[in-house]
Amino acid sequence: MTNKIAVVTALAGMKPSDANDLYEIKHHSADYYVFTDRVDLEAPKGWTKRWLYPASMDKKYATRRACRAVKQLTHMMLPDYDYYIWHDNINRLGEDPRQIVERLGENDMAFFEHPIQKGWRGEMQGASDREHSALVERTYKLLGDRLHIPEDLEVYETTAFVRKNNRIANTCFGLWNDLLNTLTSRDQVTLPVAIHYTKPKVGVLPGHATAGGGNNNVLPNISQPLYFNGLTY
């Protein structure tokens, strides 16, 4: 039985000149979707466009939150797939999606390791100047003071990842979305919390998803292909 794979990205709230063009599809073992609020977006052959509806009282970060909903709730928007490969608009897929999902093995999901932070509190501190101060404070109070979330949980890059469409992965990602809508919209802060509560099997992808991670052999800059070469456990 052939696994059904969806490669998914989202693009919203950007001027056409500020966005990376969608790449030409080279591997046709998956279906490719872009969720966007741009009527002028010209998608290359093979991409399916889906309209993105920013719906948030947070006008400053409404489009960010809309894209996060696609990232986290893909199993609700595209339910008829076995695997999802997400990547931000700054990346393009560099290898056959079948190879990516095969390397997932027994894991429910896999992410790139964060190149800097080692805990949710440090990630919130690092991103505090890009978030509303009230949401930063609410995040500290709920996760630290009320829930006593361990501060040494692994932090992952959420720029790109691969995951299964199964009960535990969907539960984890649903909780992740709930935390994002309740607390900070910086999703790298709340992913470790969702993983902590739901206990999925998580693999670590080698290297980093962005040039900021310093992995020049795998991803020299943000316009270069994104490779998911193997997993560590």
Side-chain angles (χ1 to χ4, degrees), residues 117 119-130 136 140 151 189:
Q117 300 297 350
W120 67 266
R121 188 179 291 274
E123 174 61 16
M124 188 71 267
Q125 290 172 345
S128 61
D129 61 343
R130 290 169 284 164
V136 174
Y140 285 141
E151 296 188 16
V189 174

Side-chain angles (χ1 to χ4, degrees), residues 66-159:
C67 291
R68 299 292 196 270
V70 177
K71 177 190 291 191
Q72 297 167 324
L73 301 178
T74 319
H75 54 282
M76 293 184 176
M77 300 176 186
L78 301 169
D80 298 324
Y81 289 89
D82 302 299
Y83 294 90
Y84 304 111
I85 300 171
W86 167 271
H87 64 76
D88 287 358
N89 175 250
I90 62 173
N91 295 115
R92 57 188 173 92
L93 209 59
E95 63 179 339
D96 192 326
R98 288 177 299 188
Q99 294 177 298
I100 296 171
V101 301
E102 286 172 1
R103 295 192 184 102
L104 192 55
E106 296 300 316
N107 289 291
D108 300 296
M109 57 193 71
F111 302 90
F112 289 96
E113 192 176 55
H114 199 288
I116 301 172
Q117 300 297 350
K118 296 300 180 184
W120 67 266
R121 188 179 291 274
E123 174 61 16
M124 188 71 267
Q125 290 172 345
S128 61
D129 61 343
R130 290 169 284 164
E131 180 59 279
H132 303 298
S133 58
L135 287 180
V136 174
E137 185 64 23
R138 182 190 299 174
T139 300
Y140 285 141
K141 285 185 176 180
L142 180 63
L143 300 187
D145 299 340
R146 289 181 56 190
L147 299 179
H148 304 291
I149 301 299
E151 296 188 16
D152 59 351
L153 298 178
E154 186 70 51
V155 176
Y156 301 99
E157 288 187 290
T158 57
T159 305

Side-chain angles (χ1 to χ4, degrees), residues 39-51:
V39 296
D40 61 333
L41 179 67
E42 295 186 9
K45 182 179 179 180
W47 284 92
T48 298
K49 286 173 60 176
R50 292 286 177 89
W51 190 251

Side-chain angles (χ1 to χ4, degrees), residues 148-226:
H148 304 291
I149 301 299
E151 296 188 16
D152 59 351
L153 298 178
E154 186 70 51
V155 176
Y156 301 99
E157 288 187 290
T158 57
T159 305
F161 54 80
V162 54
R163 75 174 183 95
K164 294 177 179 176
N165 180 5
N166 63 15
R167 181 192 59 79
I168 194 166
N170 296 346
T171 301
C172 178
F173 274 62
L175 177 57
W176 186 20
N177 179 255
D178 182 62
L179 289 166
L180 179 141
N181 288 317
T182 303
L183 304 173
T184 176
S185 60
R186 308 302 302 183
D187 59 1
Q188 292 178 156
V189 174
T190 49
L191 173 62
V193 182
I195 291 173
H196 175 70
Y197 271 101
T198 57
K199 310 299 184 187
K201 295 179 181 178
V202 183
V204 178
L205 298 163
H208 298 284
T210 60
N215 191 322
N216 294 325
N217 293 323
V218 175
L219 193 65
N221 58 65
I222 61 176
S223 66
Q224 289 296 307
L226 178 70

